[in-house]
């Protein structure tokens, strides 16, 4: 039997509702909509709605905390997370099994170089990092990537030397060029390919857009949980426009990828995923960004095409750590035992027995200005932040604070009757016991310190 290819494309900070097919946000995404209509989709959730933790879970098939990702790879942070060479990633598995491998775009899984040197030879600054060839690339042979750098119109990359490759083009357009060029060579070879493309937009700064996208007309259509005052704020309206215009720009790049798949007749031979690492609040509850428990932050687009699967929505919760084992299973490759996420391939085939009932959500205060006050007092910041449970009906939250001295509290949202999470209630003793019992069990499995000593 011919082994299938894997093409995985994901954007940074792209929320699940920002797709025409979803029928919610004011975006025009005809190419993505056409693709989504052919796909299997699930209720995909970012287990830790932050860039590095989700990416670590995506590749390793483990909860972010289980592979040491308690926050982003960043600087200054001497104990910044780093994807260990010893971790087994989906790319390691597929490389060993004979797949051609490629990674293009944002990586953000390596310790920032400026933690070790104020002026690295690679030119990396701030949170950025060059990942040299070797075990740190986890089986990806072709490499056109960077750590974390948000100048979308003047991106840079590294390949197989510390010499920085500087580009003056919108990063998704350049990265799509690089991907398609690599794929052109890969499809001519007998071995299957595994290619990951990681676009940075619509991640901030929102206004780093090509002129044609800045001029795009976006008709505002606010969710009920966007405060009235925000709807008249010019700065917010500009960010709102630019965020959705960037998504429409990504749709154009996705159209190019679909044309390539058509031209090379790859649909029957390729499993294709279009997704994101987390969402963006974009004004809901008076917030920008991510790293909060609301649906706009944790819910991500997840559309999977496999010619062997009937298209349509599945009543399935998909955690970040479920993706690697699920994809390996669909590819017919044994899932290594270190991948503790749930293989959801049976559920995608419409056998819903054993499907995931809940996702363990995590957030730890991780910015240096948050961490230092805890540590100055001899407190471990990893015991704080918030943890949550996301089921199909409920979102339960246990919040211990993200600043020293904040009050502890618990909230419960009924997502069926309150989908915009505007009316949280106080859980009763029975509900607390039910959810916290499950959370304590999960925390123990992954080494989470949230409940330690209680």
């Amino acid at each position: 039997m011919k082994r299938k290819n894997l093409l995985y494309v994901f954007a940074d900070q792209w929320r699940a509702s920002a797709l025409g097919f979803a029928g919610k946000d004011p975006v025009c995404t005809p190419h993505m909509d056409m693709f989504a209509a052919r796909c299997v989709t699930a209720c995909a959730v970012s287990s830790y709605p932050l860039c590095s933790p989700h990416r670590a879970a995506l590749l390793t098939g483990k909860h972010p905390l289980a592979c040491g990702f308690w926050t982003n790879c960043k600087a200054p942070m001497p104990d910044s997370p780093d994807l260990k060479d010893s971790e087994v990633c989906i790319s390691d598995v597929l490389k060993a099994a004979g797949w051609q491998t490629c990674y293009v775009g944002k990586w953000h899984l390596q310790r920032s170089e400026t933690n070790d040197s104020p002026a690295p030879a690679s030119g990396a600054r701030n949170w950025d990092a060059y990942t040299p060839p070797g075990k740190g690339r986890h089986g990806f042979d072709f490499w056109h990537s960077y750590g974390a750098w948000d100048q979308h119109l003047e991106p840079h990359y590294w390949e197989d030397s510390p010499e920085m490759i500087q580009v003056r083009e919108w990063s998704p357009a350049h990265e799509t060029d690089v991907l398609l060029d690599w794929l052109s060579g890969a499809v001519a070879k007998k071995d299957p390919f595994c290619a990951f493309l990681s676009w940075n937009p619509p991640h901030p700064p929102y206004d780093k857009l090509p002129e044609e996208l800045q001029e795009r007309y976006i008709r505002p259509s606010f969710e009920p949980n966007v405060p009235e005052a925000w709807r008249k704020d010019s700065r917010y309206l500009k960010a709102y426009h630019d965020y959705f215009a960037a998504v429409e720009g990504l749709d154009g790049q996705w159209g190019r990828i679909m044309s390539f798949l058509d031209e090379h007749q790859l649909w029957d031979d390729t499993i294709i995923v279009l997704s994101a690492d987390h969402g963006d609040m974009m004004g809901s509850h008076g917030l920008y960004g991510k790293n909060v428990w609301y649906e706009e932050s944790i819910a991500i687009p997840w559309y999977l095409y496999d010619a062997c699967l009937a298209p349509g929505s599945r009543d399935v919760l998909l955690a970040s750590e479920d993706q690697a084992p699920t994809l390996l299973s669909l590819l017919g490759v044994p899932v290594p035992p270190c991948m503790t996420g749930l293989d959801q391939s049976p559920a995608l085939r419409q056998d819903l027995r054993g499907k995931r009932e809940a996702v363990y959500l995590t957030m730890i205060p991780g910015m240096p200005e948050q961490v230092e006050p805890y540590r100055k007092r001899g407190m471990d910041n990893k015991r704080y932040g918030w943890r949550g449970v996301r089921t199909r009906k409920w979102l339960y939250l246990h919040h211990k604070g993200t600043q020293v001295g904040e009050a502890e509290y618990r909230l419960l949202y009924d997502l069926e009757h309150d989908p915009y999470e505007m009316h949280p209630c106080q859980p009763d003793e029975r509900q607390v016991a039910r959810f916290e019992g499950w959370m304590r069990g999960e925390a123990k499995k992954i080494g989470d310190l949230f409940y330690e000593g209680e």
Side-chain angles (χ1 to χ4, degrees), residues 260-291:
F260 182 93
L261 296 171
D262 287 336
E263 179 185 348
H264 293 273
Q265 299 180 329
L266 289 170
W267 290 96
D268 288 346
D269 300 327
T270 308
I271 292 175
I272 307 155
V273 180
L274 178 62
S275 190
D277 52 7
H278 51 72
D280 191 308
M281 295 302 295
M282 195 39 62
S284 292
H285 301 281
L287 298 170
Y288 289 113
K290 63 275 188 178
N291 220 10

Side-chain angles (χ1 to χ4, degrees), residues 4 40 267-268 271 305-311 314 330 348-349:
K4 288 194 173 184
V40 170
W267 290 96
D268 288 346
I271 292 175
Y305 176 83
D306 182 344
C308 296
L309 296 177
R314 304 289 191 266
L330 290 172
L348 299 183
R349 296 186 179 106

Side-chain angles (χ1 to χ4, degrees), residues 326-380:
T326 299
L327 292 171
L328 285 174
S329 184
L330 290 172
L331 289 166
V333 177
V335 178
C338 59
M339 290 189 176
T340 50
L342 183 62
D343 171 10
Q344 300 253 40
S345 59
L348 299 183
R349 296 186 179 106
Q350 299 184 310
D351 178 357
L352 299 181
R353 293 172 294 180
K355 65 181 181 180
R356 178 177 290 280
E357 295 299 327
V359 176
Y360 186 67
L361 302 173
T362 309
M363 184 274 175
I364 293 172
M367 292 298 287
E369 62 270 19
Q370 293 175 308
V371 173
E372 188 62 22
Y374 283 103
R375 296 184 178 177
K376 277 186 175 179
R377 292 165 175 79
M379 302 164 70
D380 191 340

Side-chain angles (χ1 to χ4, degrees), residues 231-266:
R231 304 179 190 200
K232 302 172 185 176
D233 185 286
S234 60
R235 290 173 299 176
Y236 166 63
L237 292 174
K238 179 67 165 62
Y240 181 99
H241 170 276
D242 292 345
Y243 179 83
F244 293 116
V247 174
E248 294 192 0
L250 295 182
D251 181 72
Q253 302 307 316
W254 183 252
R256 296 175 60 205
I257 293 171
M258 289 183 67
S259 294
F260 182 93
L261 296 171
D262 287 336
E263 179 185 348
H264 293 273
Q265 299 180 329
L266 289 170

Side-chain angles (χ1 to χ4, degrees), residues 126 128 146 148-157 167-172 175 200-201 203-205 207-209:
N126 302 320
D128 203 4
Y146 62 99
W149 189 253
D150 296 327
Q151 297 302 314
H152 308 320
L153 294 173
E154 297 182 352
H156 63 242
Y157 306 87
V167 175
R168 295 186 66 84
E169 185 179 15
W170 194 47
S171 58
E175 290 157 14
N200 199 359
H203 186 286
D207 62 349
K208 301 296 183 182
L209 290 171

